[in-house]
Amino acid sequence: MTSGHVAFGDMNTGQALEYPEEAAHRHRANRWQRWLLPAGILAALAVWQLLTASALVPAFLLPSPLAVADRFLRGWNDASLARHTLVTLSEVLAGLSLGVLAAAILGYVVAKSPAVERFLSPYIVASQAIPIVAIAPLLVIWFGPGRLSKILIAALIVFFPVLVNTVVGVRSVPQDLRELMRSLRATRWQTFSLLEIPAALPVLLGGLKIGATLSVIGAVVGEFVGADEGLGFLVNVGRGLYDTALVFVAVFLLIGMALALYGLVAWFERQVSWRREENRP
Amino acid sequence: MTPRVSLLSANELTVWFPNGNGGLHALDRVSFDVAPKDFVCIVGPSGSGKTTILRLLAGLLQPTRGEVRVGGQPLREPRRGTGFVFQQANLMPWRTVLDNIALPLELEHQPLDAARRRAGELLTLVGLEGFESAHPQDLSGGMAQRVAIARALIHDPDLLLLDEPFGSLDALTRERMAAELMRIWEARHVTVVLVTHSIPEAVLLADRVLVVSARPWRVVLDLPIRLGRPRTLELSYTAEFGKLVRRVRDSIE
Ligand SMILES: Nc1ncnc2c1ncn2[C@@H]1O[C@H](COP(=O)(O)OP(=O)(O)OP(=O)(O)O)[C@@H](O)[C@H]1O
Ligand SMILES: [Mg+2]
């Protein structure tokens, strides 16, 4: 199970059973831990600013945080930054949806049918073994330098982890509960929607979280290979012009995009998860 | 007394489970009848095919040979009028207690609020009012098992099959649950087939005790228990009760 999250939707019943001292202790711990993340970020920014101010590193190699902020504002004002961000975001979302959809459907079939699994497993393993960077150029040649090739690359990189998690999730549905559904004369659809989906959901969402961050990498790899728009393209432009501030801006936007997607899935996971937090004594 | 027609009949049930070396016998020509409103207990050592018999009676498993008839009709698949309580409580952890109990009605597309109301009544019957919105993880083993019993009762079954429903409970809770089950049975008069490995429990509850054994996979004793009703735990200290327990015990050796 993924660590750290309060993975339980119904807080009423969850908290009622906790000992008061324990809850208080956790509360205290939370209070000062809350400051760790912003403090860490501030510290990193300070070190970075000092490093550039001390002239140990030339400005064209490492721009100062202020220079990066300035570059960001300039890009934002002439609207180019927003456009490139939206291009990459659209590729990421389309690739992620496509990859997840294909992997979830195929994963379900594989989980249900050993014959299909035996037939497909060499391809599935191969899809994982091929380094994405190596076949990205091929996909760009086949599908052109437009968005389609990026979407396909993102979908491909997302495919494997989501597929594996789907198979594991569907296989983890307890046999006893399947038998219960059978004894209640549930239809296939009822077994699917009322048993398999909720039972597999925690594992499925784990796969989706990994897929969400990978899809950003996939789109950028595609843009590196050949594109005239997108954040990956901006990184390339910045490199060519020695505009390192622009490279930083693009990289930060990519990180932000991946984090936002991850956070979105994690939030959704917390809303629907029925699994207990595991670190209770 | 009017002649009693059998609700349930097992005819020459034979089950082979395929394994590496040519199959494993789990049952060999097992036959018995169960009259309506009867309380039948099946006892036997571990691995003697008790769960297999219940799965056959529920229509979850088809016998290699022989057949199960319910109300005269051959049983081909699970039927609506049967309630099944598994060896483990077998609740869905993502559903509240109330929604777990309501599940059988929900699968029949009955209106959800009516199903929940019915589930609430059953929750009271098994003594768990106030736990409607708890999740199975918050329940003790005995409470979870009572929820499972409530779930099996929700569509008013005429046949209740229970597979060692008190197996994971401590002795005291076990006695309380057995008394509760007797009360439910007396109030509703469903036919009950209960698997247990406790001989005194079987004798206390049953109108009839069936003893099954492994190798041979047969019914080795079919003993009517002619003790009055209602029965209480007091009964288990009488000499008559002791003799019956002794007879069941001896048949297993
Ligand atoms: N699905 C199955 N496939 C193969 N063998 C099985 C299967 N189910 C049961 N068996 C075998 O059949 C025999 C009887 O099993 P069963 O579960 O009916 O016993 P039981 O009396 O319920 O035992 P226990 O008291 O331990 O629950 C056992 O030897 C078991 O290994
Ligand atoms: Mg069993």
Side-chain angles (χ1 to χ4, degrees):
Chain A
M1 181 181 174
T2 53
S3 62
H5 290 287
V6 185
F8 195 66
D10 192 343
M11 296 315 285
N12 299 329
T13 50
Q15 300 272 297
L17 294 174
E18 200 170 40
Y19 292 107
E21 323 82 270
E22 198 182 303
H25 176 78
R26 230 179 29 184
H27 190 72
R28 260 196 309 280
N30 277 346
R31 202 153 51 193
W32 72 266
Q33 277 173 4
R34 253 208 313 264
W35 298 106
L36 279 180
L37 182 68
I41 292 174
L42 276 179
L45 282 175
V47 170
W48 180 9
Q49 180 69 37
L50 282 176
L51 216 58
T52 50
S54 69
L56 278 173
V57 194
F60 69 93
L61 287 186
L62 182 65
S64 74
L66 291 175
V68 172
D70 180 60
R71 188 70 188 80
F72 173 79
L73 286 178
R74 259 198 302 141
W76 194 257
N77 287 336
D78 67 18
S80 63
L81 213 48
R83 185 172 63 83
H84 289 295
T85 305
L86 281 179
V87 166
T88 302
L89 186 62
S90 69
E91 292 163 357
V92 164
L93 290 180
L96 183 62
S97 314
L98 185 67
V100 167
L101 204 68
I105 293 173
L106 196 67
Y108 186 76
V109 176
V110 165
K112 297 292 257 193
S113 157
V116 173
E117 183 187 13
R118 201 147 324 130
F119 180 72
L120 288 180
S121 62
Y123 303 101
I124 293 168
V125 173
S127 83
Q128 170 67 352
I130 299 170
I132 201 79
V133 205
I135 57 160
L138 205 57
L139 289 170
V140 173
I141 292 171
W142 286 348
F143 299 99
R147 291 189 201 181
L148 179 61
S149 54
K150 282 67 181 180
I151 291 172
L152 291 177
I153 293 165
L156 203 61
I157 202 171
V158 163
F159 182 77
F160 189 75
V162 176
L163 178 97
V164 169
N165 278 48
T166 307
V167 174
V168 171
V170 173
R171 293 236 168 108
S172 73
V173 177
Q175 204 53 44
D176 283 354
L177 283 178
R178 289 190 183 282
E179 186 123 289
L180 169 75
M181 290 301 266
R182 217 151 64 74
S183 81
L184 295 173
R185 297 149 29 110
T187 61
R188 252 162 182 261
W189 168 251
Q190 287 175 328
T191 302
F192 176 70
S193 61
L194 296 177
L195 173 59
E196 290 175 332
I197 296 236
L201 204 57
V203 185
L204 270 175
L205 288 176
L208 188 59
K209 268 200 293 200
I210 301 169
T213 47
L214 284 179
S215 65
V216 177
I217 295 176
V220 170
V221 166
E223 288 171 356
F224 260 56
V225 174
D228 50 14
E229 49 183 0
L231 291 173
F233 164 74
L234 276 194
V235 171
N236 256 344
V237 170
R239 187 184 62 179
L241 301 173
Y242 270 81
D243 186 352
T244 45
L246 179 61
V247 175
F248 268 85
V249 168
V251 167
F252 279 134
L253 283 171
L254 286 169
I255 293 174
M257 194 182 290
L259 284 180
L261 280 174
Y262 183 93
L264 202 66
V265 181
W267 173 82
F268 181 67
E269 193 177 29
R270 256 170 287 141
Q271 301 309 302
V272 300
S273 185
W274 45 269
R275 279 204 182 168
R276 265 266 191 267
E277 204 177 346
E278 278 188 351
N279 52 6
R280 279 161 51 107
Chain B
M1 213 163 110
T2 51
R4 304 211 286 179
V5 286
S6 65
L7 169 75
L8 191 64
S9 66
N11 305 320
E12 302 271 297
L13 293 177
T14 299
V15 172
W16 266 320
F17 285 118
N19 68 352
N21 35 12
L24 168 86
H25 246 126
L27 291 180
D28 185 16
R29 284 164 290 152
V30 166
S31 300
F32 57 89
D33 290 329
V34 179
K37 320 292 185 230
D38 248 12
F39 199 128
V40 174
C41 284
I42 301 178
V43 295
S46 184
S48 56
K50 305 183 296 294
T51 297
T52 305
I53 291 177
L54 275 202
R55 293 181 68 217
L56 289 166
L57 298 182
L60 287 167
L61 178 73
Q62 286 302 314
T64 313
R65 275 201 290 279
E67 68 174 1
V68 173
R69 282 172 174 272
V70 181
Q73 297 297 314
L75 186 70
R76 300 258 172 269
E77 54 178 13
R79 61 188 274 277
R80 183 179 187 278
T82 300
F84 199 103
V85 178
F86 293 80
Q87 211 158 344
Q88 278 78 38
N90 218 359
L91 304 174
M92 294 181 169
W94 55 88
R95 281 180 171 245
T96 62
V97 163
L98 203 65
D99 286 347
N100 264 292
I101 298 175
L103 177 72
L105 296 185
E106 193 181 330
L107 292 177
E108 292 171 352
H109 306 288
Q110 300 205 16
L112 214 58
D113 46 336
R116 289 217 174 103
R117 200 161 342 107
R118 184 89 192 84
E121 290 164 23
L122 284 165
L123 205 57
T124 310
L125 179 77
V126 297
L128 282 177
E129 58 272 73
F131 285 90
E132 287 77 7
S133 53
H135 281 257
Q137 302 92 312
D138 303 326
L139 304 180
S140 71
M143 289 154 82
Q145 213 38 278
R146 278 186 274 173
V147 173
I149 291 173
R151 178 178 61 192
L153 288 172
I154 198 164
H155 47 29
D156 273 316
D158 52 10
L159 175 62
L160 193 57
L161 306 173
L162 305 103
D163 190 0
E164 293 190 42
F166 317 135
S168 54
L169 308 181
D170 62 276
L172 282 176
T173 315
R174 215 183 153 107
E175 283 172 4
R176 264 217 313 280
M177 296 273 299
E180 220 163 293
L181 180 65
M182 254 196 297
R183 186 170 57 74
I184 291 169
W185 170 74
E186 269 155 17
R188 313 183 135 241
H189 271 288
V190 298
T191 307
V192 173
V193 179
L194 177 134
V195 164
T196 172
H197 50 231
S198 159
I199 297 170
E201 187 173 281
V203 173
L204 182 65
L205 291 172
D207 296 318
R208 226 169 103 210
V209 174
L210 296 176
V211 181
V212 289
S213 78
R215 302 183 189 80
W217 311 87
R218 305 294 300 264
V219 173
V220 293
L221 179 69
D222 184 342
L223 183 70
I225 307 292
R226 297 203 177 84
L227 298 169
R229 302 245 182 210
R231 300 180 190 167
T232 60
L233 215 54
E234 291 302 309
L235 190 66
S236 58
Y237 306 114
T238 63
E240 198 184 357
F241 188 91
K243 256 194 283 182
L244 288 166
V245 169
R246 187 66 196 272
R247 274 201 62 190
V248 175
R249 184 78 196 77
D250 288 345
S251 73
I252 291 175
E253 238 59 296

